[in-house]
Amino acid sequence: MAGTLTSVGGRVSAYVDARVASWRTGSRGSQAYVFGVLTIGVVTSFFVAWTIPATPFSIWFVWLILGVLVLRFPPLVLLNALILVAAARSTAHEGAPLSAQLTAMATLVLAEALILYQSRTQRSGLPFALSEQVLANLRDRLQSQAAIPDLPAGWSSHSSMLSAHGARYAGDFLVADMSDGRHLELVLVDVSGKGLAVGPQALQFAGAMAGLVGGMAPQELMRAANAFLLRQNSEEAFATAVHLLVDVETGHYVVTSAGHPPALRWDRKQGVWTLDGATGMALGVTPDADFESSTGQLAPGEALLFYTDGVVEARGRDLEDGINWLLETAREAVQIGFEGAAGRILRHVPRGQDDRAVLIIERVGPVIEDPAAAARGRRPFGSWTLPRPRRLRLGQPLE
């Protein structure tokens, strides 16, 4: 007996799963099936209301809500018409005062009009629940690209991101790659706009950037990204970006900026953050954009900090003042270590209208008691010159 029940339960579960999977496709067949199920529910409610006068009128709103969640516009119109007829007949049958009947039906008509308007303006053409799922999947894909690959021993990353107004769709995004196991490559991008309004642009641009990262030299990548935005033929299709390519074996790195606020480098000897010298034109502004990269080498205990303009820009404060504020705030944030420092920085950023993101790449290591002696074995930062753009091969160092 138990085995039979288990078998029946398995079949029912498989049947339900198949129907749900079919509904998620949004096909006409699945919509017809869902409409049939809801029709049976409305008809059943009608007979209940006909035989039990005390049935609450709110039962019809339950079917309205279910309909807008799972039906596309055409079958939803039919369902609304069926609900209206069933509600009118059952209410008249109860013999309630005419004023009460008119009030109840007017409320139902208004609710149906609002629901049909919302469904009609749904640009995806999908039921509300499905369109929300599509947006959630796109958001999750964008966020999955922002995951920093597992770094080897001696390296660590710390990041924090907040979107404007608390929305879960932001114009700031990160794309990272370390497919060859040696060269960490990442791009932090700030797309023009704020919060939900810029979400579609960020998703589109993130997909393009994901296809470029790992296959091109830094300046070539920036030029390709610039060309992509120019092809959008939109006055609002521009962004700032900062690109990092670092050799995790030697610590050598290249920073390339496209209109982005200057990156910060932690000077372990002085115990302060210093400004990186990479500069460049924002992406999507001009086809002749020029990018000037900076190079250097991180020693154990040193780090690079990247951020978006929402961290340093605020009403009544210019960019230079904001960067000076960040230099001091970031210095205080790392006094107890780099772990959690990105979040501590963002907690001190005044609430504003822009998305905010902070990323720290740290080369961890034991404390060096005599940093000056250790530094004598390294070439000074200013002696590094940027090589011509080229493709990187597996195992090829940055120097």
Side-chain angles (χ1 to χ4, degrees):
M1 183 66 178
T4 302
L5 292 177
T6 302
S7 178
V8 172
R11 293 195 188 99
V12 171
S13 177
Y15 178 80
V16 172
D17 290 343
R19 288 300 178 181
V20 171
S22 176
W23 169 75
R24 286 176 175 170
T25 66
S27 64
R28 292 183 178 179
S30 64
Q31 285 289 291
Y33 180 84
V34 173
F35 174 75
V37 172
L38 293 180
T39 298
I40 294 174
V42 172
V43 172
T44 302
S45 298
F46 172 76
F47 283 112
V48 171
W50 190 273
T51 56
I52 305 177
T55 302
F57 188 80
S58 58
I59 190 173
W60 306 112
F61 291 92
V62 174
W63 297 113
L64 283 180
I65 295 173
L66 288 175
V68 74
L69 287 176
V70 299
L71 289 179
R72 303 173 70 169
F73 182 73
L76 183 60
V77 172
L78 297 178
L79 181 69
N80 275 249
L82 178 61
I83 291 174
L84 187 63
V85 172
R89 292 289 295 164
S90 61
T91 302
H93 177 71
E94 290 180 2
L98 181 61
S99 60
Q101 294 183 38
L102 292 177
T103 300
M105 292 306 300
T107 304
L108 181 63
V109 170
L110 177 60
E112 289 193 346
L114 292 174
I115 284 175
L116 290 176
Y117 173 78
Q118 189 278 335
S119 178
R120 186 68 181 86
T121 56
Q122 191 85 350
R123 297 176 63 182
S124 67
L126 298 172
F128 179 81
L130 275 182
S131 60
E132 175 64 21
Q133 184 182 37
V134 170
L135 287 175
N137 289 339
L138 290 174
R139 180 203 64 215
D140 293 342
R141 180 168 296 183
L142 175 62
Q143 293 177 348
S144 68
Q145 293 175 345
I148 302 293
D150 293 335
L151 300 179
W155 291 87
S156 182
S157 66
H158 318 279
S159 62
S160 184
M161 182 179 294
L162 292 175
S163 59
H165 311 296
R168 300 183 68 184
Y169 299 87
D172 299 345
F173 67 86
L174 174 71
V175 178
D177 177 75
M178 195 176 174
S179 55
D180 66 359
R182 176 171 178 175
H183 298 102
L184 171 64
E185 186 172 2
L186 56 86
V187 187
L188 179 62
V189 180
D190 184 359
V191 179
S192 173
K194 303 175 180 67
L196 184 60
V198 76
Q201 298 179 47
L203 289 168
Q204 182 185 33
F205 194 32
M209 293 297 289
L212 298 174
V213 169
M216 308 178 74
Q219 294 195 9
E220 291 178 344
L221 183 147
M222 288 298 192
R223 293 189 183 96
N226 185 57
F228 173 84
L229 288 182
L230 289 173
R231 289 197 299 270
Q232 305 310 306
N233 293 322
S234 171
E235 295 181 355
E236 298 181 353
F238 65 93
T240 66
V242 60
H243 177 280
L244 171 67
L245 180 62
V246 58
D247 188 328
V248 297
E249 292 188 5
T250 65
H252 293 103
Y253 67 83
V254 178
V255 175
T256 307
S257 177
H260 211 76
L264 308 184
R265 173 174 173 166
W266 177 250
D267 187 328
R268 183 189 52 174
K269 181 178 178 180
Q270 300 293 331
V272 296
W273 291 97
T274 59
L275 296 180
D276 182 78
T279 60
M281 179 69 69
L283 302 174
V285 177
T286 173
D288 300 322
D290 188 30
F291 311 104
E292 182 177 344
S293 301
S294 65
T295 60
Q297 182 181 22
L298 291 180
E302 296 182 335
L304 292 170
L305 186 150
F306 305 92
Y307 55 97
T308 55
D309 57 9
V311 177
V312 293
E313 289 184 349
R315 183 175 299 178
R317 182 178 69 185
D318 59 28
L319 182 60
E320 183 178 354
D321 291 338
I323 293 175
N324 290 332
W325 170 88
L326 178 61
L327 287 169
E328 179 60 24
T329 302
R331 185 189 66 81
E332 296 177 355
V334 301
Q335 293 304 307
I336 59 175
F338 289 101
E339 184 69 34
R344 291 193 291 272
I345 293 172
L346 286 189
R347 282 196 293 270
H348 286 85
V349 176
R351 185 180 298 274
Q353 303 295 316
D354 204 354
D355 305 321
R356 291 145 285 169
V358 173
L359 169 66
I360 299 175
I361 300 296
E362 171 197 8
R363 188 176 188 184
V364 299
V367 176
I368 300 177
E369 298 182 358
D370 186 5
R376 284 195 293 268
R378 301 197 308 267
R379 288 159 62 184
F381 170 76
S383 67
W384 286 96
T385 57
L386 181 68
R388 297 183 63 184
R390 66 189 190 283
R391 290 183 178 274
L392 291 172
R393 300 186 299 274
L394 182 63
Q396 179 182 359
L398 295 178
E399 55 182 323

